[in-house]
């Protein structure tokens, strides 16, 4: 049994070398997904050695140059260079991203914060730069359950081997990952098995002035399902990571005055790369209450001038 909040890691608790956070199979019981997060100062660089994983490079803030090779579509010794335009912050709309093929190596240069989603796989797909204007932007829910989803690493947008990657922006006072749902049992066409990583960032609500001592935060909740026991009810802030191997999860709540962001990385053992979920029967009815409600007028969050 996981005791309360033991799968939530404060910023820096998963540090390894030059990386602020690293999630991989070095964590007991973790098998299908990975994540790396780092902050680069001007002139710095990060190395991604060739490995049996596919990767998605996601600028959180700032812009980056990625030199990569061994992608299956290049001759030995050749390398490609991709400029990632990035964005000022995760609350400035979608970013362009770079998918790196299984077995590719890369070097990331630039200034800002960057995340790298990973999944072990032997499947080889071509590396691809997905530009910001190509990213499907979804406004999900309604009213106080409104949130903005950037689906740059989902099956509809990206030909990948194993993982499903997206990011969610939840405006202050709103709930996301709601109603609670799970994906830990194989029911073909109804539910898939996917372990999940949440990486969080928080900020003062867009357009609001706040004193320097403001402390942006949100909450995440997860609880036991027949697949396993878990108990999470935790405050989260920028840089925190939650690992959800199973269980019902939701809501993620943005506190009044503070916006909430999270990057999701999902993958599992099923043969099909698909996100099928089951709602908690106690709360699934809430979806029906969104009918006739407008999406929160603060959305979409787009790049500020």
């Amino acid at each position: 049994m996981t005791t309360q909040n033991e799968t939530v890691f404060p910023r820096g608790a998963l540090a390894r070398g030059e990386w602020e956070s690293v999630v991989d199979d070095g964590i007991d019981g973790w098998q299908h997904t990975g994540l790396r997060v780092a902050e680069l100062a001007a002139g710095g660089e990060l190395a991604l050695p060739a490995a049996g994983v596919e990767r998605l490079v996601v600028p959180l803030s700032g812009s980056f140059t990625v030199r990569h090779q061994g992608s299956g579509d290049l001759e030995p010794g050749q390398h490609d260079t991709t400029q990632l335009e990035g964005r000022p912050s995760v609350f400035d709309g979608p970013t362009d991203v770079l998918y790196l093929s299984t077995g590719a190596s890369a070097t990331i240069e630039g200034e800002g914060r960057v995340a790298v989603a990973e999944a072990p796989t032997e499947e080889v797909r071509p590396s691809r730069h997905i530009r910001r204007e190509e990213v499907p932007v979804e406004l999900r829910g309604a009213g106080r359950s409104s949130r903005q989803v950037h689906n740059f690493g989902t099956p509809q947008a990206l030909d990948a081997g194993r993982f499903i990657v997206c990011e969610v922006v939840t405006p202050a006072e709103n709930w996301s990952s709601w109603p609670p749902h799970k994906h830990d049992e194989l029911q073909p066409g109804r539910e898939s098995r996917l372990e999940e990583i949440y990486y969080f960032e928080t900020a003062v609500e867009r357009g609001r002035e706040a004193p320097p001592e403001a402390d942006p935060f949100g909450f995440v909740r997860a609880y036991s399902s027949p697949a396993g026991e878990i108990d999470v009810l935790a405050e989260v802030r920028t840089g925190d990571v939650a690992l959800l191997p199973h269980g019902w999860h939701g809501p993620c709540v943005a506190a009044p005055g503070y916006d909430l962001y999270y990057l999701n990385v999902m993958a599992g053992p099923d043969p099909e790369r698909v996100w099928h979920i089951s709602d908690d029967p106690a709360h699934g009815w809430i979806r029906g209450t969104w009918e006739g409600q407008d999406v929160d007028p603060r959305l979409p969050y787009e790049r500020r001038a």
Side-chain angles (χ1 to χ4, degrees), residues 171-247:
E173 300 184 44
N174 286 10
W175 290 33
S176 57
S177 285
W178 185 250
H181 56 278
K182 70 181 183 75
H183 36 74
D184 58 18
E185 181 181 358
L186 177 56
Q187 301 182 58
R190 296 178 54 198
E191 185 177 341
S192 46
R193 292 176 294 176
L194 298 165
E195 67 180 19
E196 185 166 12
I197 302 170
Y198 278 68
Y199 163 79
F200 295 96
E201 295 208 3
T202 53
V204 171
E205 180 181 1
R206 187 166 173 156
R208 182 182 293 273
E209 296 291 330
E213 62 269 22
D215 181 21
F217 72 100
F219 287 98
V220 61
R221 173 69 172 137
Y223 52 99
S224 300
S225 72
E229 296 189 352
I230 188 169
D231 186 10
V232 172
L233 179 56
E235 288 186 12
V236 290
R237 292 173 172 81
T238 293
D240 294 352
V241 174
L243 304 182
L244 303 181
H246 50 249

Side-chain angles (χ1 to χ4, degrees), residues 58-262:
V58 182
L60 301 170
S61 64
S63 302
F64 302 92
T65 301
V66 185
R67 299 194 312 274
H68 48 102
Q69 60 185 354
S71 305
D73 50 358
L74 295 171
E75 295 295 325
Q78 288 185 324
H79 74 270
D80 216 341
T81 300
T82 301
Q83 302 289 338
L84 290 175
E85 178 186 358
R87 55 191 166 182
S89 82
V90 295
F91 300 101
D92 283 280
T95 179
D96 56 340
V97 299
L98 175 62
Y99 176 77
L100 292 173
S101 177
T102 304
S105 62
T107 301
I108 303 173
E109 299 175 345
E111 183 176 5
R113 288 180 65 78
V114 63
V116 182
E118 298 181 340
T121 181
E122 295 180 357
E123 299 183 39
V124 177
R125 301 289 194 276
S127 295
R128 180 184 167 199
H129 181 201
I130 299 178
R131 302 183 185 280
R132 177 166 54 96
E133 56 271 20
E134 297 178 80
V135 174
V137 177
E138 175 188 2
L139 300 184
R140 188 178 296 171
R144 287 301 182 191
S145 297
S146 301
R147 58 274 204 188
Q148 179 172 330
V149 185
H150 303 152
N151 289 306
F152 42 57
T154 61
Q156 71 196 90
L158 176 65
D159 178 23
R162 302 301 302 165
F163 59 27
I164 297 172
V165 187
C166 66
E167 59 183 12
V168 180
V169 176
T170 308
E173 300 184 44
N174 286 10
W175 290 33
S176 57
S177 285
W178 185 250
H181 56 278
K182 70 181 183 75
H183 36 74
D184 58 18
E185 181 181 358
L186 177 56
Q187 301 182 58
R190 296 178 54 198
E191 185 177 341
S192 46
R193 292 176 294 176
L194 298 165
E195 67 180 19
E196 185 166 12
I197 302 170
Y198 278 68
Y199 163 79
F200 295 96
E201 295 208 3
T202 53
V204 171
E205 180 181 1
R206 187 166 173 156
R208 182 182 293 273
E209 296 291 330
E213 62 269 22
D215 181 21
F217 72 100
F219 287 98
V220 61
R221 173 69 172 137
Y223 52 99
S224 300
S225 72
E229 296 189 352
I230 188 169
D231 186 10
V232 172
L233 179 56
E235 288 186 12
V236 290
R237 292 173 172 81
T238 293
D240 294 352
V241 174
L243 304 182
L244 303 181
H246 50 249
W248 304 103
H249 45 282
C252 289
V253 181
Y258 302 125
D259 291 335
L260 176 67
Y261 162 95
Y262 49 89

Side-chain angles (χ1 to χ4, degrees), residues 16 22-28 30-31 33-36 118:
R16 188 186 304 170
V22 176
V23 177
D24 60 15
D25 59 7
I27 296 174
D28 188 35
W30 209 252
Q31 303 178 64
T33 55
L35 178 70
R36 295 171 180 266
E118 298 181 340

